[in-house]
Amino acid sequence: MPNATTASLSRRGLLAAGGALGLGAVLTACGDDDAKDGGADTKGAAKSGPWSFKDDRGTTVKLDEAPKNIVAFTGVAAALYDYGIEVKGVFGPTTTKDGKADVQAGDMDVSKVTVLGNVWDQFNVEKYAALAPDVLISTMFDDAGTLWYVPEASKDKIAKLAPSVGISVFDRQLTAPLQRMWELAESLGADMTAAKVTEAKKRFEAASERLRKAAKAKPEIKVLVGSASPELFYVSGSNLSIDLEYFKSLGVNFVEPTEEAKKATGGWFESLSWENVDKHKADVIMMDDRSSAIQPADITEATWKQLPAVKAGQVIARSTEPILSYDKCVAPVEALAEAIEKARKVS
């Protein structure tokens, strides 16, 4: 993602830039060892006694008591908030240019957290130290244990200030990291028997079954996953991303980039010029909802407007980096199910 050309971009850079996950930096630039186990009205009290959690790197973080000063990637903080666990500081997309909460901040009151960095490669180490952090928590988009949105240049300084926990969102289905975030929240003292929590899980399961039935009833409906930037349109593959792998397991018929194109991006996506945006035929288009990507209503390219799915009004938002609470994952599943149920074959 942050390097000059797609061919030389690191996997981490590719993710930050967008492609499979949306667009960002590519346009401007083109812990120890054992893990366990998240909104506001399900407040949990931190458990007394020693705390330990084995994360998805196989690293076990051990503390004398459950961490109170938690710093987390914005999306992780949003998920924990839904389970009643609040953090002191965040890093990653938190506020938009007009000061409102970014989509990845979920229901958090962003005015009550210290923002250490709002964009890629931004992390105020001094502010972080001042928070006296007990633990740093982030997701991981590769199998090398790279913590999402922790800058490469300052990762060693950051690591010295507090232990870290990594939750993998790489090459697995959505239900796996959802369960891991559940376990993490529970270990931090969240009440996982609260009605809000248990009902959200039931709604997610019901939404998933609805999507399964919709996909089975209309197997001919082809779904394309895209992300827009000023220069390029990105078509995501259904492998590697937790939401798409899960939707595919439920029977959704995804448009796939060519294998040759995916090789240049580590398997994530295919880059198309706007002149070639009609290369793949689709009946429904899912578009990256993150603030780093151009939203469908703001796309002015004539070639986009002529796409059959666009003309038919069969374009929906995609939660490209899902907030890993069951509550927040219900809407994306329901939206895709409804889109397939209502879709006309236009490709």
Side-chain angles (χ1 to χ4, degrees):
M1 305 180 162
N3 295 337
T5 63
T6 300
S8 64
L9 292 174
S10 67
R11 177 179 294 167
R12 184 169 186 257
L14 285 168
L15 291 170
L21 299 179
L23 183 75
V26 72
L27 298 176
T28 56
C30 257
D32 276 281
D33 49 2
D34 278 333
K36 220 182 164 181
D37 316 309
D41 61 353
T42 59
K43 272 255 200 269
K47 295 179 178 179
S48 60
W51 178 85
S52 70
F53 187 88
K54 184 175 183 179
D55 75 0
D56 291 337
R57 299 169 299 184
T59 296
T60 299
V61 176
K62 297 180 180 180
L63 299 174
D64 292 339
E65 59 182 3
K68 297 181 177 63
N69 292 349
I70 301 170
V71 173
F73 170 67
T74 303
V76 169
L80 292 176
Y81 182 86
D82 285 349
Y83 291 130
I85 304 298
E86 298 186 22
V87 306
K88 292 293 181 69
V90 297
F91 54 95
T94 307
T95 58
T96 57
K97 293 180 180 179
D98 58 6
K100 296 181 180 178
D102 187 274
V103 64
Q104 294 190 65
D107 293 334
M108 279 194 304
D109 183 345
V110 296
S111 70
K112 293 184 177 180
V113 294
T114 298
V115 181
L116 304 175
N118 199 53
V119 298
W120 182 256
D121 238 15
Q122 183 184 87
F123 191 114
N124 191 313
V125 180
E126 289 71 27
K127 278 188 178 182
Y128 178 56
L131 291 174
D134 294 320
V135 68
L136 179 148
I137 310 171
S138 190
T139 48
M140 301 181 298
F141 279 93
D142 60 27
D143 53 9
T146 306
L147 296 173
W148 192 230
Y149 267 78
V150 173
E152 188 71 21
S154 54
K155 67 177 184 179
D156 292 339
K157 292 181 180 178
I158 293 168
K160 291 177 180 178
L161 295 170
S164 62
V165 166
I167 300 298
S168 179
V169 289
F170 174 69
D171 196 17
R172 61 202 60 203
Q173 294 181 21
L174 177 61
T175 45
L178 270 174
Q179 178 61 27
R180 292 295 283 139
M181 194 62 70
W182 175 290
E183 293 167 358
L184 176 60
E186 185 174 40
S187 80
L188 293 170
D191 180 4
M192 309 313 283
T193 65
K196 175 181 177 179
V197 173
T198 58
E199 288 170 6
K201 189 172 184 179
K202 289 178 182 178
R203 287 190 292 114
F204 174 81
E205 292 167 348
S208 297
E209 183 58 27
R210 178 183 175 185
L211 178 55
R212 186 193 303 277
K213 290 180 178 178
K216 184 176 181 180
K218 289 188 173 182
E220 74 280 5
I221 296 300
K222 299 173 68 175
V223 179
L224 182 146
V225 182
S227 183
S229 76
E231 288 84 10
L232 297 170
F233 182 82
Y234 298 89
V235 178
S236 298
S238 61
N239 292 328
L240 304 183
S241 297
I242 56 173
D243 59 330
L244 304 186
E245 287 204 9
Y246 182 57
F247 298 157
K248 184 168 65 173
S249 77
L250 296 176
V252 176
N253 180 10
F254 284 111
V255 171
E256 298 288 352
T258 64
E259 289 303 314
E260 182 179 3
K262 288 197 294 183
K263 284 181 182 177
T265 64
W268 287 96
F269 60 91
E270 177 179 9
S271 305
L272 297 175
S273 66
W274 283 102
E275 290 75 15
N276 296 314
V277 73
D278 60 352
K279 175 180 178 179
H280 300 288
K281 308 304 179 184
D283 305 296
V284 172
I285 300 176
M286 299 174 68
M287 291 294 290
D288 187 352
D289 71 352
R290 297 181 304 171
S291 55
S292 56
I294 299 176
Q295 298 306 299
D298 299 319
I299 298 175
T300 58
E301 301 290 342
T303 48
W304 162 262
K305 295 179 178 180
Q306 291 303 309
L307 293 177
V310 175
K311 293 174 71 173
Q314 296 176 175
V315 178
I316 63 171
R318 174 198 176 199
S319 296
T320 306
E321 290 185 53
I323 293 172
L324 297 173
S325 72
Y326 285 101
D327 180 69
K328 292 300 180 292
C329 286
V330 172
V333 181
E334 287 184 334
L336 181 54
E338 181 178 11
I340 293 174
E341 289 166 352
K342 295 181 176 179
R344 294 185 292 111
K345 182 68 179 175
V346 296
S347 64

